[in-house]
């Protein structure tokens, strides 16, 4: 399950034919697309409930499911070490405390992400959550003092233009939700902060993305309780008529499972391709997700609306390509090795 044993896998792949290798990559990419798109539509369904207006509770439950799955995988790893590969997980209060600043950013990321999805829907979600790249550049300069090339900034300008055009076209269509846009901007900022803090915290969990996921979600479960009480969601959940329905809890649990699975399939796609290819795949997936949402909800969109989406996607693809070329120039040639810590920590990807 865990992404260990990369070197041994790579050695086994040397004897594979090109066709077999291509089939494996295609299946991995298809799995990533399926899990990611399904997760977004599932979250949209859960958050769009007219009877239960409790987005924090939905997010809290998904964190509970993630913690439970981490413990379950740890159990099976100890029970069947030859079949299930998962890092040993044991709660350590000191580690939990050191991960806490990241957990606060993590809560903001997943909460604002879900609130954005709740208010703008799936079709506008790609544009509404498109400023992560722009915040990456801004915060990297402010916090890490890292400068960005002219061409990368140009790509960010295209993304900003697509974002503002998309907001304008949603307003023209009469479907603009300013709260959704604001939540999308805040989610984008938190995604960037999450990536920066993740790099700082990784040594605390011995570089394990799964241990980090365990502590992040565990901290989030505790922190969400006072937040739900503060916003009156606990009372709404108690009064919810469908609380005893199996269908409700089944959908909630499935949403949590897909939320947990996205971390695995993201790492798997990076492992079988590369971080650059993963970002390109994520951009293409966002395009397919938008088209599917428009078809599924039978929406009618203007040419300028589609242009805004195209600008965001082209800008994102261009930025990924430029950064990939820049990294190739500065990196010293070395043995291929994939690190999960380099992935985008984005629930919407």
């Amino acid at each position: 399950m865990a992404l260990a044993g990369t070197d041994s896998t790579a050695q086994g792949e040397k004897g594979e034919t090109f066709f077999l290798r291509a089939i494996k990559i295609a299946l991995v990419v298809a799995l990533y697309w399926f899990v990611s798109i399904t997760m977004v539509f599932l979250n949209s369904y859960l958050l769009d409930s007219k009877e239960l207006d409790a987005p924090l509770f939905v997010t809290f439950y998904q964190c509970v499911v993630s913690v439970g799955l981490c413990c379950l995988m740890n159990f099976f790893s100890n029970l069947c070490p030859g079949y299930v590969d998962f890092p040993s997980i044991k709660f350590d209060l000191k580690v939990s405390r050191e991960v806490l600043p990241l957990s606060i950013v993590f809560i903001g990321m997943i909460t604002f992400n879900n609130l954005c999805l709740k208010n703008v829907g799936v079709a506008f979600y790609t544009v509404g959550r498109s400023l992560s790249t722009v915040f990456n550049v801004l915060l990297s300069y402010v916090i890490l003092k890292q400068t960005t090339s002219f061409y990368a900034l140009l790509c960010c300008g295209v993304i900003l233009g697509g974002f503002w055009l998309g907001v304008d076209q949603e307003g023209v269509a009469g479907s603009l939700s300013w709260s959704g846009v604001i939540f999308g901007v805040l989610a984008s900022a938190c995604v960037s902060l999450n990536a920066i803090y993740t790099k700082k915290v990784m040594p605390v969990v011995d570089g394990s993305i799964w241990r980090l996921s365990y502590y992040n979600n565990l901290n989030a479960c505790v922190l969400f309780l006072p937040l739900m009480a503060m916003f009156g969601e606990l009372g709404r959940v108690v009064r919810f008529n469908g609380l005893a329905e199996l269908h409700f809890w089944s959908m909630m649990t499935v949403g949590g499972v897909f939320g947990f699975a996205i971390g695995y399939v993201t790492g798997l796609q990076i492992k079988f391709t590369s971080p650059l290819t993963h970002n390109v795949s994520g951009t293409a997936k966002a395009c397919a997700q938008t088209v599917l949402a428009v078809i599924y909800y039978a929406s009618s969109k203007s040419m300028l609306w589609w242009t805004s989406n195209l600008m965001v996607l082209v800008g994102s693809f261009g930025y990924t390509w430029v950064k990939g070329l820049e990294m190739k120039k500065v990196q010293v040639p070395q043995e291929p090795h994939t690190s999960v810590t380099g992935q985008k920590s984005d629930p919407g990807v």
Side-chain angles (χ1 to χ4, degrees), residues 156-176:
C156 289
V158 174
I159 295 172
L160 275 170
F163 173 79
W164 285 116
L165 180 60
V167 170
D168 175 72
Q169 288 304 298
E170 283 289 300
V172 170
S175 55
L176 177 64

Side-chain angles (χ1 to χ4, degrees), residues 319-338:
Y319 180 85
T320 298
W321 189 261
V322 168
K323 296 301 286 185
L325 292 176
E326 291 176 357
M327 287 175 66
K328 283 182 180 178
K329 289 179 181 178
V330 299
Q331 280 181 345
V332 178
Q334 56 185 0
E335 287 297 316
H337 180 72
T338 299

Side-chain angles (χ1 to χ4, degrees), residues 94-113:
K94 181 183 177 183
V95 174
S96 179
R97 215 166 33 234
E98 292 188 33
V99 174
L100 187 59
L102 172 63
S103 298
I104 294 171
V105 174
F106 174 74
I107 285 177
M109 181 180 72
I110 56 177
T111 300
F112 291 135
N113 185 77

Side-chain angles (χ1 to χ4, degrees), residues 40 92 116 129 183 191 194 212 237 276 306 308:
V40 171
D92 187 323
C116 172
R129 280 274 290 94
F183 287 136
V191 166
N194 187 78
L212 183 61
V237 171
L276 174 63
W306 285 109
S308 72

Side-chain angles (χ1 to χ4, degrees), residues 157-224:
V158 174
I159 295 172
L160 275 170
F163 173 79
W164 285 116
L165 180 60
V167 170
D168 175 72
Q169 288 304 298
E170 283 289 300
V172 170
S175 55
L176 177 64
S177 167
W178 277 110
S179 59
V181 172
I182 293 169
F183 287 136
V185 172
L186 291 173
S188 298
C190 287
V191 166
S192 301
L193 283 172
N194 187 78
I196 292 171
Y197 276 98
T198 296
K199 291 180 181 179
K200 292 184 177 181
V201 172
M202 265 297 171
V204 177
V205 291
D206 302 322
S208 171
I209 196 71
W210 293 114
R211 285 198 186 99
L212 183 61
S213 176
Y214 169 74
Y215 281 105
N216 246 346
N217 283 284
L218 190 62
N219 285 345
C221 289
V222 176
L223 294 173
F224 266 125

